[in-house]
Amino acid sequence: LLRDFKTMHMLSNITIRQILPGSFKQADTFMEKHLYKGKRPRTYEFLLEKCKEYPSLFLALYVDKEMAGVIQGFPRDDYLLMSELVVDIRFQKRSFGTKLVKAFEQQAKKLKYTKIKLGSDNKTVYFYASLGYKPSLFMQVPEEKQDETITLLKKEKRAILSVSVANHLTGIELAVDSIDQTRLAYLQKKFTPISAQFLFTKHL
């Protein structure tokens, strides 16, 4: 029966392939349309350089010859950052996002990395949790507000997992027991951070 469907072109061929630097422009255009929509967290030039350095961590999923999803990332300190993941809305709810994440994890293992991290908004938090990623809360405040913010967090008996400084911003990671959107909303209101989101970590 499956052979008959293939003969009639009723079954699509799904493949995941590396995004080579020469074809990165196509993938970036795809992300601009389906993910960024004019609000880029990272520049084209930055991601292209990372693609050249780590092409095995830049992957695209195709339905036949049409690009339907993209995942990409790069190393940071002792972990891999899964920096972007997007699936064309026309192809969602077909487990394509899961396939891309699993492929990324396989590449991470080949590179001998044992930990992956990623940031997520409230649209995808449960998706990552379903794949075994553990949540924490992460916010960035201006470096000059670091001591004040940490003092307030300690007064509230918040468990601080890590503090890092880059580009005059202090990143603070907080432990949470579960995905609780009210906690994120509280941090945003109380501390008015530059950014705040859930951070997810998976040990491979």
Side-chain angles (χ1 to χ4, degrees):
L1 181 60
L2 287 176
R3 192 180 301 113
D4 291 339
F5 274 120
K6 287 182 179 179
T7 302
M8 293 183 290
H9 304 288
M10 294 181 69
L11 288 182
S12 298
N13 186 31
I14 299 169
T15 58
I16 294 178
R17 303 196 295 269
Q18 288 186 19
I19 301 168
L20 300 177
S23 59
F24 179 74
K25 179 64 177 177
Q26 179 192 6
D28 191 77
T29 300
F30 179 89
M31 290 186 293
E32 183 65 54
K33 178 180 179 181
H34 299 287
L35 179 64
Y36 302 144
K37 298 179 181 178
K39 297 180 180 179
R40 300 185 64 103
R42 300 168 185 87
T43 66
Y44 173 89
E45 292 75 18
F46 175 85
L47 290 173
L48 177 58
E49 286 304 309
K50 293 300 181 184
C51 181
K52 291 177 180 177
E53 290 182 72
Y54 310 101
S56 65
L57 297 175
F58 284 69
L59 305 170
L61 183 147
Y62 293 85
V63 176
D64 294 329
K65 296 182 180 181
E66 182 176 4
M67 185 178 289
V70 168
I71 190 170
Q72 55 191 35
F74 46 86
R76 274 196 174 167
D77 301 324
D78 64 338
Y79 66 90
L80 285 182
L81 175 68
M82 188 190 299
S83 59
E84 280 83 18
L85 169 62
V86 62
V87 174
D88 185 329
I89 192 170
R90 295 175 299 148
F91 297 103
Q92 290 179 6
K93 301 188 184 300
R94 301 188 190 183
S95 299
F96 288 173
T98 300
K99 291 179 186 297
L100 284 165
V101 171
K102 295 298 183 184
F104 186 88
E105 291 174 354
Q106 289 176 359
Q107 295 302 321
K109 290 177 182 178
K110 289 180 181 179
L111 294 174
K112 308 299 183 184
Y113 279 89
T114 59
K115 183 166 59 176
I116 295 174
K117 288 191 174 187
L118 61 101
S120 176
D121 61 22
N122 56 12
K123 295 179 181 178
T124 55
V125 288
Y126 296 106
F127 166 73
Y128 290 113
S130 72
L131 296 177
Y133 287 78
K134 303 301 181 184
S136 58
L137 283 172
F138 181 79
M139 65 177 179
Q140 287 183 312
V141 297
E143 190 176 359
E144 59 268 21
K145 292 182 65 176
Q146 172 181 318
D147 293 342
E148 173 191 348
T149 303
I150 290 175
T151 298
L152 287 172
L153 289 169
K154 287 182 176 179
K155 283 184 178 179
E156 294 185 359
K157 297 183 179 180
R158 303 268 180 174
I160 299 174
L161 298 176
S162 67
V163 177
S164 58
V165 180
N167 300 321
H168 305 292
L169 293 176
T170 296
I172 304 171
E173 184 180 359
L174 303 169
V176 294
D177 297 325
S178 61
I179 298 171
D180 186 345
Q181 300 288 355
T182 60
R183 292 185 185 181
L184 180 58
Y186 172 80
L187 288 180
Q188 292 169 329
K189 183 177 180 180
K190 174 78 174 181
F191 298 98
T192 59
I194 301 298
S195 65
Q197 63 182 336
F198 283 98
L199 184 68
F200 284 86
T201 304
K202 184 172 184 177
H203 295 270
L204 303 174

